[in-house]
Amino acid sequence: MEKREQLYEGKAKKVFKTDDPNLLIVSYKDDATAFNGEKKGTIEAKGVVNNRVSNHMMSLLEQEGIKTHYVKTLNDRETLVRSVKIIPLEVIMRNIAAGSLSKRLGLAEGTKLNSPVLEFCYKNDALGDPMINNYHIKAMNLATQEELEVIEKMAFAINAFMINHFKTVGIELIDFKIEFGRTSDGEVILADEISPDTCRFWDSKTNEKLDKDRFRRDLGNVEQAYQEVLKRLLGEH
Ligand code: UDP
């Protein structure tokens, strides 16, 4: 697979064309941002951890019958993925109150939610990714009713699988953000990444945070937390 010109550079990843129009190469960076780009930094080897963690989770999800963009790990930081048009939605699933939900609803961090909560945000940096609902999504033509039904069903299935899987490695899945894309034949599949950048992970025993909140809130041991998630999922490497 030949790597061709860079298509796009985001906050945490670069995307390259390949000689196959249906395939792209994603390259994970160590750059970290928070608060809509206001806070910037680097987390050493984050790109390597996120690449491996995300590919591992997507492979497991594929085995569960969930279609993803994952094709093949190329090296420590680079992965071959199916080319999709990203649907401009951040799909957030929550099991335990934290972050913006705690703030908005006045729920203490760590409050167990009786049932999982799905939220949508409109992916738009200039607007600060505002929260929207199904009606906004249809009114703005961001996705169709049929696509929304697929996205919601997949999001709940992904959440149920991930809760159980992370429990087996001593991690509570607090919440996470996923993104979906459309393939050239209009199929909706899981895209983007699943990593400590995009999930909240708490140690099951100590409640220690093992995710990007360590960077957002200057809690220290950021690199160690990312490595710990990788180690628990994949063992020593
Ligand atoms: N999240 C993300 N990217 C974003 C916003 C949120 O990956 O642009 C993830 C975040 O890491 C957390 C979940 O989505 O796991 C819910 O985030 P929340 O709405 O609480 O926002 P935050 O506290 O990150 O501002």
Side-chain angles (χ1 to χ4, degrees):
M1 187 54 51
E2 187 116 3
K3 185 166 158 187
R4 297 270 168 90
E5 79 260 30
Q6 185 174 306
L7 253 189
Y8 170 82
E9 175 160 8
K11 292 175 209 142
K13 301 188 281 296
K14 293 179 185 175
V15 181
F16 298 87
K17 283 193 179 179
T18 67
D19 45 21
D20 182 338
N22 291 310
L23 297 173
L24 300 173
I25 292 173
V26 172
S27 180
Y28 285 77
K29 308 192 287 181
D30 289 348
D31 299 349
T33 61
F35 313 118
N36 201 19
E38 262 174 63
K39 183 181 169 86
K40 287 193 175 72
T42 34
I43 300 171
E44 202 191 314
K46 171 171 85 74
V48 177
V49 171
N50 287 3
N51 186 39
R52 287 187 180 154
V53 167
S54 190
N55 294 350
H56 179 66
M57 293 313 300
M58 295 232 187
S59 310
L60 294 176
L61 288 167
E62 286 279 352
Q63 290 171 30
E64 297 294 307
I66 290 157
K67 296 262 178 65
T68 79
H69 72 166
Y70 175 67
V71 177
K72 185 176 152 205
T73 304
L74 298 175
N75 57 53
D76 263 4
R77 287 179 186 271
E78 294 183 322
T79 295
L80 194 62
V81 299
R82 289 179 69 185
S83 173
V84 293
K85 285 258 181 332
I86 292 287
I87 298 171
L89 294 174
E90 298 198 329
V91 181
I92 294 174
M93 290 292 313
R94 304 179 179 272
N95 300 304
I96 292 178
S100 68
L101 181 83
S102 289
K103 228 178 176 176
R104 195 174 348 113
L105 300 183
L107 290 173
E109 271 208 325
T111 306
K112 187 172 173 353
L113 302 168
N114 276 335
S115 47
V117 172
L118 182 152
E119 295 172 354
F120 292 115
C121 293
Y122 176 35
K123 251 173 83 82
N124 184 313
D125 280 340
L127 299 176
D129 300 338
M131 188 155 94
I132 56 176
N133 67 28
N134 301 42
Y135 295 91
H136 299 102
I137 293 169
K138 283 178 272 177
M140 292 173 70
N141 267 325
L142 302 178
T144 64
Q145 175 65 28
E146 292 68 35
E147 287 175 331
L148 273 175
E149 281 167 19
V150 170
I151 288 171
E152 291 189 353
K153 198 167 162 224
M154 286 175 79
F156 278 94
I158 292 164
N159 185 47
F161 173 77
M162 295 220 315
I163 289 175
N164 283 325
H165 188 72
F166 281 100
K167 257 198 211 325
T168 67
V169 298
I171 290 173
E172 293 308 303
L173 179 64
I174 308 305
D175 58 29
F176 60 94
K177 184 267 300 179
I178 46 182
E179 296 180 21
F180 294 86
R182 295 182 191 99
T183 64
S184 53
D185 30 71
E187 193 179 16
V188 171
I189 65 174
L190 180 66
D192 195 51
E193 68 178 282
I194 295 176
S195 74
D197 267 10
T198 60
C199 303
R200 284 195 171 93
F201 296 134
W202 293 3
D203 181 276
S204 299
K205 287 210 184 92
T206 65
N207 280 346
E208 187 192 358
K209 296 186 197 319
L210 299 172
D211 57 59
K212 196 167 153 187
D213 272 347
R214 301 205 74 84
F215 168 78
R216 292 190 188 98
R217 302 179 190 183
D218 295 317
L219 300 176
N221 292 331
V222 186
E223 281 83 3
Q224 290 85 341
Y226 278 71
Q227 295 293 339
E228 182 64 23
V229 172
L230 177 64
K231 190 173 116 188
R232 292 207 195 171
L233 283 175
L234 284 140
E236 299 289 351
H237 264 257

